[in-house]
Amino acid sequence: MATASEAAQLIEAPLLVLAPEDDRWLAFVLGHSEALPFHHPSWARVLSESYNYPSFVLALTDEKGRINAGMPIMEIRKRFRPSRWVSLPFTDRCPLLATEEVMTARFIGLANRAREQADVARLEVHSDLPGGDVHRQRRGVAHVLSLSPDSELAFRRCSRS
């Protein structure tokens, strides 16, 4: 079975496998308007140390080596089950980050090929992805509650049940 790094090298040079602590990834995350705390290298490190799963970042770069799209990944390996790449387990939402929508589709294609070449059963992303060959599975529901600075008003809006 090929590692994630070996699989990425087999397909196309612009898809890189980076350590989550790579300065390029951190700069990309800090500069991206849609980045969440879950994209930060610290979150991948906490998960890796807590659950003992290897983590890495798949990143699509341009000809100058700048990241145009990417996401943090953990490889989940369990006995008697096929390996899978997850962005990220134990995380509510961790969308693919991209500079342009066209990069999203390209990234998905390259990441899927890398996954196949690494002999990994599937790639799970905790967010919506474009494309007809994406299998969506609802795992949870997000609730948004508008809070008022007036605590009495906020409590009156709550149901007694």
Side-chain angles (χ1 to χ4, degrees):
M1 175 170 14
T3 66
S5 182
E6 292 166 341
Q9 291 171 2
L10 291 173
I11 53 170
E12 289 187 35
L15 185 66
L16 300 178
V17 177
L18 305 174
E21 301 81 20
D22 190 294
D23 290 339
R24 294 171 290 178
W25 175 246
L26 181 58
F28 181 69
V29 167
L30 294 176
H32 200 288
S33 63
E34 295 178 23
L36 301 172
F38 303 126
H39 291 100
H40 196 279
S42 298
W43 183 245
R45 185 177 62 246
V46 165
L47 291 177
S48 285
E49 290 174 0
S50 298
Y51 297 99
N52 201 29
Y53 294 131
S55 63
F56 56 94
V57 171
L58 285 180
L60 181 62
T61 59
D62 63 15
E63 62 282 346
K64 293 183 180 177
R66 293 177 298 219
I67 296 176
N68 286 328
M71 67 181 162
I73 305 277
M74 290 188 76
E75 185 166 342
I76 309 299
R77 297 182 205 140
K78 293 189 177 182
R79 291 178 96 171
F80 310 114
R81 290 187 181 174
S83 295
R84 59 194 165 108
W85 288 352
V86 182
S87 180
L88 278 168
F90 315 107
T91 302
D92 294 332
R93 187 168 176 270
C94 192
L96 166 67
L97 298 179
T99 55
E100 301 174 46
E101 199 168 315
V102 68
M103 292 297 159
T104 300
R106 184 163 183 233
F107 178 90
I108 293 167
L110 291 172
N112 197 41
R113 285 184 25 215
R115 173 200 60 79
E116 289 171 349
Q117 291 179 354
D119 197 28
V120 172
R122 67 181 188 256
L123 170 62
E124 296 176 12
V125 180
H126 291 179
S127 182
D128 282 339
L129 291 174
D133 61 347
V134 173
H135 302 283
R136 289 176 171 80
Q137 184 176 21
R138 188 172 302 272
R139 297 251 174 155
V141 178
H143 296 278
V144 178
L145 177 63
S146 176
L147 296 177
S148 165
D150 179 358
S151 61
E152 288 183 24
L153 177 61
F155 281 111
R156 281 195 304 254
R157 289 182 181 165
C158 294
S159 168
R160 290 188 183 266
S161 64

